[in-house]
Each structure stands twice: as C-alpha cells, then as structure tokens.
C-alpha cells in the first residue's frame, strides 16, 4: 500500500480526490466528535462548508429529527442546538438524530474530499478500526484538516497514529515524506497523547476557552470500534 498524507487542505483541488480512498482527520475536535456521535446512536452526520448552508438544510419540517451543531472560534454558534464538544453528543441527545455539522476546518475538509470513492473519518478514539477498514487499499490518502489552511501538529500526529496502526497489520507499506514525518511525530508523542494535545496551538486555545475535558477525552486510544464513512452527503457507520 502507498500512503500519502496531505498536511492541510490548502492547494488541493476537490477533484484530486476522485477515485481515491481518503481518511480525514480533525482530531481537535470535529472527527473526534463525529466518531462519538455515531457511537452514541446518531443516525448520520451531514458535514457542511458554511453556516448558511447548515441553516438552509435543517428546515422546520425536520426539526425534531435534525440537530444543528457546530462552532465558530471553538464556541457554539448562536441558535444551534450543539457546539463541537464531543462531550455534548451523548446518547440522550443524539440517538436517532441527523446532525448537520459546521466547523472551522474539519467539516470543510470532509466536504472537500467528497469525490473520494471511499471516504472515512478517523481520530485517536477509533484508528485501529479504520486501519483494518482501509488495509485493502492500494493507495491511501490521509487528509489533515489543519488550522485555517496551515499545518496542525495534532492532526499530523493523528495521521501518524493511523499509519502506525496500518504498519502493525501490513508489512508492505510505502510512505511518502509527509507520512514518514507524521509517523515520527506520533511515535515521539504516543506515550502522552493528552500532554501532546494540550501543548498544541489549538489545544491551548481550547483549554483557555474551558474545553480541557475535550482534550482528555480526545487523547484516548481505541476506545471505540467503529468506522464512519461519508457517502451520498452524509456520514454513517460503515458496514
Ligand atoms: C475545526 O473544525 O476547526 C475544529 O473542530 C474546531 C474546534 O471545534 O475545536
């Protein structure tokens, strides 16, 4: 398998993903939140690229079945039911619901990769399951959501975690330079993912805004055994 890691969505055209197997990462916090929501019984997550579009597709007719969720500058958007803290997406709140999700980087990265033939979502919570799912690919693209078009330490380390999980089950893997670097970042930090997340730029911002518990939660390895997959406009549990 050849693994290629895109360190941010900047300079990648939507059409690049056509016919590719892609895994998207926004470990703080969108992809951690998506994994949690599906694990807690959400029917589907509909990622969107703008707040206006989120409001447009969550019309009154579906209001009891649809929840609007998302953040701007880490905080819940005014009028939305939920923010982007994974801890908000409990079974009581999300079970059976369709969730329309807008986030600064994560939901946009997923939308960008929508033409992939297979598009999966990972985080530290579920990377072993995702590794097994993509292990049949000849070529794998890992897309880090990054930080406003720039490099994000935590997404790159999480890409390294997925690569590490794949290397444990597949001896025939070729890494590009970015993938090798991500794998080194993960190996250097794997003993204390919580400390690593807390010391990143976005981690520090989340702590300042009162989301310290989100970091503790997002740092847990393989506590959830499921694979979210995007198809026909929404993310559901993969078969
Ligand atoms: C993002 O998409 O940039 C993040 O998930 C932001 C956050 O809510 O921490």
């Amino acid at each position: 398998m050849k693994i290629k890691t895109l360190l941010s969505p900047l300079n990648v055209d939507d059409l690049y993903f056509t016919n590719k197997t892609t895994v998207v990462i926004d470990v703080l916090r969108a992809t951690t939140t998506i994994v949690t929501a599906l694990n807690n019984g959400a029917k589907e997550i509909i990622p969107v690229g703008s707040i206006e579009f989120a409001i447009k597709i969550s019309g009154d007719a579906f209001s009891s079945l649809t929840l609007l969720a998302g953040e701007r500058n880490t905080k819940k958007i005014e009028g939305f039911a939920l923010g982007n803290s994974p801890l908000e997406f409990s079974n009581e709140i999300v079970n059976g619901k369709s969730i329309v999700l807008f986030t600064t980087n994560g939901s946009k990265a997923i939308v960008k990769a929508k033409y992939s033939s297979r598009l999966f979502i990972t985080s530290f919570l579920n990377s072993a399951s995702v590794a097994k799912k993509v292990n049949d690919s000849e070529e794998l693209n890992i897309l880090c959501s990054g930080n406003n078009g720039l490099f994000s330490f935590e997404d790159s380390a999480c890409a390294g975690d997925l690569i590490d999980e794949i290397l444990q089950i597949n001896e025939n893997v070729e890494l590009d330079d970015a993938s090798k670097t991500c794998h080194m970042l993960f190996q250097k930090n794997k003993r204390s993912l919580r400390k690593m997340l807390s010391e990143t730029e976005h981690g520090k911002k989340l702590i300042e805004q009162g989301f310290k518990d989100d970091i503790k939660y997002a740092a847990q390895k393989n506590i959830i055994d499921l694979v979210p997959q995007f198809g026909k406009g929404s993310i559901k549990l993969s078969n």
Side-chain angles (χ1 to χ4, degrees):
M1 182 199 303
K2 286 190 179 164
I3 303 184
K4 181 167 179 183
T5 301
L6 303 162
L7 298 173
S8 99
L10 196 71
N11 298 328
V12 195
D13 190 80
D14 299 26
L15 293 178
Y16 166 82
F17 297 97
T18 310
N19 294 327
K20 292 193 160 56
T21 297
T22 308
V23 178
V24 177
I25 299 173
D26 179 13
V27 70
L28 292 179
R29 296 165 294 175
T31 59
T32 297
T33 295
I34 290 166
V35 171
T36 303
L38 289 173
N39 192 47
N40 285 334
K43 183 180 160 213
E44 61 185 345
I45 319 292
I46 303 163
V48 294
S50 74
I51 295 176
E52 295 68 33
F53 191 63
I55 294 168
K56 198 170 163 183
I57 62 168
S58 64
D60 283 350
F62 306 105
S63 56
S64 63
L65 299 171
T66 306
L67 293 173
L68 262 177
E71 55 75 37
R72 192 148 45 182
N73 199 19
T74 77
K75 300 272 179 57
K76 187 169 92 158
I77 297 161
E78 211 185 311
F80 279 27
L82 297 166
N84 187 32
S85 165
L87 303 178
E88 291 177 81
F89 291 66
S90 63
N91 174 272
E92 295 70 38
I93 295 186
V94 304
N95 192 23
K97 297 280 166 61
S98 294
I99 299 167
V100 180
L101 180 68
F102 169 82
T103 74
T104 310
N105 300 287
S107 68
K108 289 181 194 161
I110 298 165
V111 171
K112 176 151 231 175
K114 62 182 176 299
Y115 296 127
S116 304
S117 54
R118 298 193 303 163
L119 173 51
F120 303 106
I121 306 297
T122 199
S123 68
F124 288 123
L125 307 180
N126 67 323
S127 53
S129 313
V130 177
K132 276 184 232 148
K133 175 62 81 178
V134 297
N135 196 30
D136 59 354
S137 315
E138 274 179 33
E139 187 194 291
L140 178 67
N141 280 265
I142 303 175
L143 174 61
C144 297
S145 300
N147 201 351
N148 292 312
L150 300 175
F151 175 83
S152 136
F153 194 105
E154 65 275 15
D155 289 346
S156 302
C158 190
D161 167 40
L162 177 64
I163 291 164
D164 198 68
E165 294 285 357
I166 294 169
L167 291 173
Q168 287 178 43
I169 54 174
N170 188 337
E171 287 174 354
N172 193 13
V173 177
E174 195 181 311
L175 303 178
D176 73 349
D177 285 356
S179 302
K180 281 183 198 160
T181 309
C182 292
H183 190 223
M184 283 164 65
L185 265 192
F186 172 69
Q187 284 182 307
K188 191 163 162 34
N189 290 285
K190 66 180 176 191
R191 270 180 205 85
S192 185
L193 293 177
R194 184 172 162 186
K195 182 168 178 289
M196 178 275 289
L197 289 178
S198 309
E199 289 172 356
T200 62
E201 289 170 19
H202 193 61
K204 284 187 202 157
K205 187 172 177 185
L206 287 171
I207 292 170
E208 263 169 41
Q209 307 274 15
F211 294 114
K212 194 173 172 192
D213 290 346
D214 287 6
I215 291 187
K216 184 175 168 195
Y217 176 77
Q220 299 174 97
K221 269 281 293 154
N222 292 330
I223 58 162
I224 295 178
D225 178 17
L226 62 76
V227 180
Q229 179 165 8
F230 178 90
K232 295 187 186 152
S234 77
I235 303 162
K236 296 190 172 111
L237 282 181
S238 167
N239 302 317

Coordinates of all heavy atoms in Angstrom, one line a residue, residues 29-87:
R29 N -11.7 19.4 16.9 CA -12.3 18.3 17.6 C -13.3 17.6 16.6 O -14.0 16.6 17.0 CB -13.2 18.8 18.7 CG -12.3 19.5 19.9 CD -13.1 20.3 20.8 NE -13.7 21.5 20.2 CZ -14.5 22.3 20.7 NH1 -14.9 22.2 22.0 NH2 -15.0 23.4 20.1
A30 N -13.5 18.0 15.4 CA -14.6 17.6 14.6 C -14.6 16.1 14.4 O -15.7 15.5 14.5 CB -14.6 18.3 13.2
T31 N -13.5 15.4 14.0 CA -13.6 14.0 13.8 C -13.8 13.2 15.0 O -14.4 12.1 15.0 CB -12.5 13.5 12.9 OG1 -11.2 13.7 13.5 CG2 -12.5 14.1 11.5
T32 N -13.2 13.7 16.1 CA -13.5 13.0 17.5 C -15.0 13.1 17.8 O -15.6 12.2 18.3 CB -12.6 13.8 18.5 OG1 -11.2 13.6 18.2 CG2 -12.9 13.2 19.9
T33 N -15.6 14.3 17.5 CA -17.0 14.5 17.7 C -17.9 13.6 16.9 O -18.8 13.0 17.3 CB -17.3 16.0 17.5 OG1 -16.6 16.7 18.5 CG2 -18.8 16.2 17.6
I34 N -17.5 13.4 15.6 CA -18.3 12.6 14.7 C -18.3 11.1 15.1 O -19.3 10.5 15.2 CB -17.7 12.8 13.2 CG1 -18.0 14.2 12.7 CG2 -18.3 11.7 12.3 CD1 -17.3 14.6 11.4
V35 N -17.1 10.6 15.5 CA -17.0 9.3 15.9 C -17.8 9.0 17.2 O -18.6 8.1 17.3 CB -15.5 8.9 16.3 CG1 -15.3 7.6 16.9 CG2 -14.6 9.0 15.0
T36 N -17.8 10.0 18.1 CA -18.6 9.9 19.3 C -20.1 10.0 19.1 O -20.8 9.2 19.6 CB -18.2 11.1 20.3 OG1 -16.8 11.1 20.5 CG2 -18.9 11.1 21.6
A37 N -20.5 10.8 18.2 CA -21.9 11.0 17.9 C -22.5 9.7 17.3 O -23.5 9.2 17.7 CB -22.1 12.1 16.9
L38 N -21.7 9.1 16.4 CA -22.2 7.8 15.8 C -22.2 6.7 16.8 O -23.1 5.8 16.9 CB -21.3 7.4 14.6 CG -21.6 8.3 13.3 CD1 -20.5 7.9 12.3 CD2 -23.0 8.2 12.8
N39 N -21.2 6.7 17.7 CA -21.1 5.7 18.8 C -22.3 5.8 19.7 O -22.7 4.8 20.3 CB -19.8 5.8 19.5 CG -19.5 4.6 20.4 OD1 -19.6 3.5 20.0 ND2 -19.1 4.9 21.6
N40 N -22.8 7.0 19.9 CA -23.9 7.3 20.8 C -25.2 7.2 20.0 O -26.2 7.7 20.6 CB -23.7 8.6 21.5 CG -22.7 8.4 22.6 OD1 -22.4 7.3 23.1 ND2 -22.0 9.5 23.0
G41 N -25.3 6.6 18.8 CA -26.5 6.4 18.2 C -27.1 7.4 17.2 O -28.2 7.2 16.7
A42 N -26.2 8.4 16.9 CA -26.7 9.4 15.9 C -26.9 8.6 14.6 O -26.2 7.7 14.2 CB -25.7 10.5 15.6
K43 N -28.0 9.0 13.8 CA -28.3 8.3 12.6 C -27.2 8.6 11.5 O -26.8 7.8 10.8 CB -29.7 8.8 12.1 CG -30.2 8.1 10.9 CD -31.6 8.7 10.5 CE -31.9 8.4 9.1 NZ -32.7 9.5 8.5
E44 N -26.9 9.9 11.4 CA -25.9 10.4 10.4 C -25.4 11.8 10.8 O -26.1 12.5 11.6 CB -26.6 10.4 9.0 CG -27.8 11.4 9.0 CD -28.5 11.4 7.7 OE1 -28.0 10.9 6.7 OE2 -29.6 11.9 7.7
I45 N -24.3 12.1 10.2 CA -23.7 13.5 10.4 C -23.7 14.1 9.0 O -23.1 13.4 8.1 CB -22.3 13.5 11.0 CG1 -22.1 12.5 12.1 CG2 -21.9 14.9 11.4 CD1 -22.9 12.8 13.4
I46 N -24.2 15.2 8.8 CA -24.2 15.9 7.5 C -23.1 17.0 7.6 O -23.5 18.1 8.2 CB -25.6 16.4 7.1 CG1 -26.6 15.2 7.1 CG2 -25.5 17.1 5.7 CD1 -28.0 15.7 7.1
P47 N -21.9 16.8 7.1 CA -20.9 17.9 7.2 C -21.2 19.0 6.1 O -21.5 18.7 5.0 CB -19.6 17.2 6.9 CG -20.0 16.1 6.0 CD -21.4 15.7 6.3
V48 N -21.1 20.2 6.5 CA -21.3 21.3 5.6 C -20.2 22.4 5.6 O -19.5 22.5 6.6 CB -22.7 22.1 5.9 CG1 -23.8 21.1 5.6 CG2 -22.7 22.6 7.3
G49 N -20.1 23.1 4.5 CA -19.0 24.0 4.4 C -19.3 25.5 4.8 O -18.5 26.3 4.8
S50 N -20.6 25.7 5.1 CA -20.9 27.1 5.6 C -22.1 27.1 6.5 O -22.9 26.1 6.5 CB -21.3 28.0 4.3 OG -22.6 27.6 3.9
I51 N -22.2 28.1 7.4 CA -23.2 28.2 8.4 C -24.6 28.4 7.6 O -25.6 27.8 8.0 CB -22.9 29.3 9.3 CG1 -21.7 29.0 10.2 CG2 -24.1 29.6 10.3 CD1 -21.2 30.1 11.1
E52 N -24.5 29.2 6.6 CA -25.8 29.5 5.8 C -26.4 28.2 5.3 O -27.6 27.9 5.4 CB -25.5 30.4 4.7 CG -25.0 31.8 5.0 CD -23.7 31.9 5.7 OE1 -22.8 31.1 5.3 OE2 -23.5 32.7 6.6
F53 N -25.5 27.3 4.7 CA -26.0 26.1 4.2 C -26.5 25.1 5.3 O -27.5 24.5 5.1 CB -24.9 25.4 3.4 CG -25.4 24.2 2.5 CD1 -26.3 24.4 1.5 CD2 -24.9 22.9 2.8 CE1 -26.7 23.4 0.8 CE2 -25.4 21.8 2.0 CZ -26.3 22.1 1.0
A54 N -25.9 25.2 6.4 CA -26.3 24.4 7.6 C -27.8 24.8 7.9 O -28.6 23.9 8.1 CB -25.4 24.6 8.8
I55 N -28.0 26.0 8.0 CA -29.3 26.5 8.4 C -30.4 26.2 7.3 O -31.5 25.7 7.6 CB -29.3 28.1 8.6 CG1 -28.4 28.3 9.9 CG2 -30.7 28.6 8.8 CD1 -28.1 29.8 10.1
K56 N -29.9 26.3 6.0 CA -30.8 26.1 4.9 C -31.3 24.6 4.9 O -32.5 24.4 4.6 CB -30.0 26.4 3.6 CG -30.8 26.6 2.4 CD -29.9 27.1 1.3 CE -30.5 26.9 -0.1 NZ -29.6 27.3 -1.1
I57 N -30.4 23.7 5.2 CA -30.9 22.3 5.0 C -31.4 21.7 6.3 O -31.8 20.5 6.4 CB -29.7 21.3 4.5 CG1 -28.5 21.3 5.5 CG2 -29.3 21.7 3.2 CD1 -27.6 20.2 5.2
S58 N -31.6 22.5 7.4 CA -32.1 21.9 8.6 C -33.5 22.6 8.9 O -33.8 23.0 10.0 CB -31.2 22.2 9.8 OG -31.1 23.6 10.0
G59 N -34.3 22.6 7.8 CA -35.6 23.3 7.9 C -36.5 22.8 8.9 O -36.3 21.7 9.4
D60 N -37.6 23.6 9.2 CA -38.5 23.2 10.3 C -39.2 21.9 10.1 O -39.4 21.2 11.1 CB -39.7 24.3 10.3 CG -39.2 25.5 10.9 OD1 -38.1 25.5 11.5 OD2 -39.9 26.5 10.8
A61 N -39.4 21.4 8.9 CA -40.1 20.2 8.7 C -39.3 19.0 9.4 O -40.0 18.0 9.7 CB -40.1 19.9 7.2
F62 N -38.0 19.1 9.5 CA -37.3 18.0 10.1 C -36.8 18.4 11.5 O -36.0 17.7 12.1 CB -36.0 17.7 9.2 CG -36.4 17.5 7.8 CD1 -36.1 18.5 6.8 CD2 -37.0 16.3 7.4 CE1 -36.4 18.2 5.5 CE2 -37.3 16.1 6.1 CZ -37.0 17.0 5.1
S63 N -37.3 19.4 12.1 CA -36.7 19.9 13.3 C -36.6 18.9 14.5 O -35.6 19.0 15.2 CB -37.4 21.2 13.8 OG -38.7 20.9 13.9
S64 N -37.5 18.0 14.6 CA -37.5 17.1 15.7 C -36.4 16.0 15.5 O -36.0 15.3 16.4 CB -38.8 16.5 16.0 OG -39.2 15.8 14.9
L65 N -36.1 15.8 14.2 CA -35.2 14.7 13.9 C -33.8 15.2 13.5 O -32.8 14.4 13.4 CB -35.7 13.9 12.6 CG -37.1 13.3 12.8 CD1 -37.5 12.7 11.5 CD2 -36.9 12.1 13.8
T66 N -33.6 16.5 13.4 CA -32.4 17.1 12.9 C -31.8 18.1 14.0 O -32.6 18.9 14.5 CB -32.5 17.8 11.6 OG1 -33.1 17.0 10.7 CG2 -31.2 18.3 11.1
L67 N -30.5 17.9 14.3 CA -29.9 18.9 15.2 C -28.8 19.7 14.4 O -28.1 19.1 13.7 CB -29.2 18.1 16.3 CG -30.1 17.4 17.3 CD1 -29.2 16.6 18.3 CD2 -30.9 18.3 18.1
L68 N -28.8 21.0 14.7 CA -27.8 21.8 14.1 C -26.6 21.9 15.1 O -26.9 22.2 16.3 CB -28.3 23.2 13.9 CG -28.8 23.6 12.5 CD1 -29.4 25.0 12.5 CD2 -27.7 23.5 11.5
A69 N -25.4 21.6 14.6 CA -24.3 21.6 15.5 C -23.1 22.3 14.8 O -23.0 22.3 13.6 CB -23.9 20.2 15.9
G70 N -22.3 22.9 15.7 CA -21.0 23.5 15.1 C -20.5 24.6 15.9 O -21.1 25.0 17.0
E71 N -19.3 25.0 15.5 CA -18.6 26.1 16.3 C -18.1 27.2 15.4 O -17.8 27.0 14.2 CB -17.4 25.5 17.1 CG -16.4 24.7 16.3 CD -15.4 25.4 15.4 OE1 -15.0 26.5 15.9 OE2 -15.1 25.0 14.3
R72 N -17.9 28.3 16.0 CA -17.1 29.4 15.4 C -16.2 29.9 16.5 O -16.6 30.2 17.6 CB -18.0 30.5 14.9 CG -17.3 31.5 14.0 CD -18.2 32.2 13.0 NE -19.5 32.7 13.5 CZ -20.3 33.3 12.7 NH1 -20.1 33.4 11.4 NH2 -21.5 33.7 13.1
N73 N -14.9 29.8 16.2 CA -13.9 30.2 17.2 C -14.0 29.3 18.4 O -13.9 29.8 19.5 CB -13.9 31.7 17.5 CG -12.7 32.2 18.1 OD1 -11.6 31.5 18.0 ND2 -12.8 33.3 18.8
T74 N -14.3 28.0 18.2 CA -14.5 27.0 19.3 C -15.8 27.0 20.0 O -16.2 26.1 20.7 CB -13.3 26.9 20.3 OG1 -13.5 27.9 21.3 CG2 -11.9 26.9 19.7
K75 N -16.5 28.1 19.9 CA -17.8 28.3 20.7 C -19.0 27.9 19.8 O -19.0 28.1 18.6 CB -18.0 29.7 21.1 CG -16.9 30.3 22.0 CD -17.2 30.0 23.4 CE -16.1 30.5 24.4 NZ -15.8 31.9 24.3
K76 N -20.0 27.4 20.5 CA -21.3 27.1 19.8 C -21.8 28.3 19.0 O -21.8 29.4 19.5 CB -22.3 26.6 20.9 CG -23.6 26.1 20.4 CD -24.4 25.5 21.4 CE -25.4 26.5 22.0 NZ -26.5 25.9 22.7
I77 N -22.4 28.0 17.9 CA -22.9 29.1 17.0 C -24.3 29.4 17.6 O -25.1 28.5 17.9 CB -23.0 28.6 15.6 CG1 -21.6 28.3 15.1 CG2 -23.7 29.6 14.7 CD1 -21.5 27.4 13.8
E78 N -24.6 30.7 17.6 CA -25.9 31.2 18.2 C -27.0 30.6 17.5 O -27.1 30.5 16.2 CB -25.9 32.7 18.0 CG -26.7 33.4 19.1 CD -26.9 34.9 18.9 OE1 -25.9 35.5 18.6 OE2 -28.0 35.3 18.9
G79 N -28.0 30.0 18.2 CA -29.2 29.4 17.6 C -29.0 27.9 17.3 O -30.0 27.2 17.0
F80 N -27.8 27.4 17.4 CA -27.5 26.0 17.1 C -27.8 25.2 18.4 O -27.6 25.7 19.5 CB -26.1 25.7 16.6 CG -25.8 26.0 15.2 CD1 -26.6 27.0 14.5 CD2 -24.8 25.4 14.5 CE1 -26.4 27.2 13.1 CE2 -24.6 25.6 13.1 CZ -25.4 26.6 12.5
A81 N -28.2 23.9 18.2 CA -28.5 23.1 19.4 C -27.3 22.6 20.1 O -27.3 22.5 21.3 CB -29.3 21.9 18.9
L82 N -26.2 22.4 19.3 CA -25.0 21.9 19.9 C -23.8 22.6 19.4 O -23.8 23.1 18.3 CB -24.8 20.4 19.5 CG -25.9 19.4 20.0 CD1 -25.8 18.1 19.3 CD2 -25.7 19.2 21.5
G83 N -22.7 22.6 20.2 CA -21.4 23.1 19.7 C -20.6 22.0 19.0 O -21.2 21.2 18.3
N84 N -19.3 22.0 19.3 CA -18.5 20.9 18.7 C -17.7 20.2 19.7 O -16.7 19.6 19.4 CB -17.5 21.6 17.6 CG -16.8 20.6 16.8 OD1 -17.2 19.5 16.6 ND2 -15.5 20.9 16.5
S85 N -18.2 20.2 21.0 CA -17.5 19.4 22.0 C -18.0 18.0 22.0 O -19.3 17.8 22.0 CB -17.8 20.0 23.4 OG -17.5 19.0 24.4
P86 N -17.2 17.0 21.8 CA -17.7 15.6 21.8 C -18.5 15.2 23.0 O -19.4 14.4 22.9 CB -16.4 14.8 21.7 CG -15.3 15.7 22.1 CD -15.7 17.1 21.8
L87 N -18.2 15.9 24.1 CA -18.9 15.5 25.3 C -20.4 15.9 25.3 O -21.2 15.5 26.1 CB -18.2 16.1 26.5 CG -16.7 15.8 26.7 CD1 -16.1 16.4 27.8 CD2 -16.6 14.2 26.8

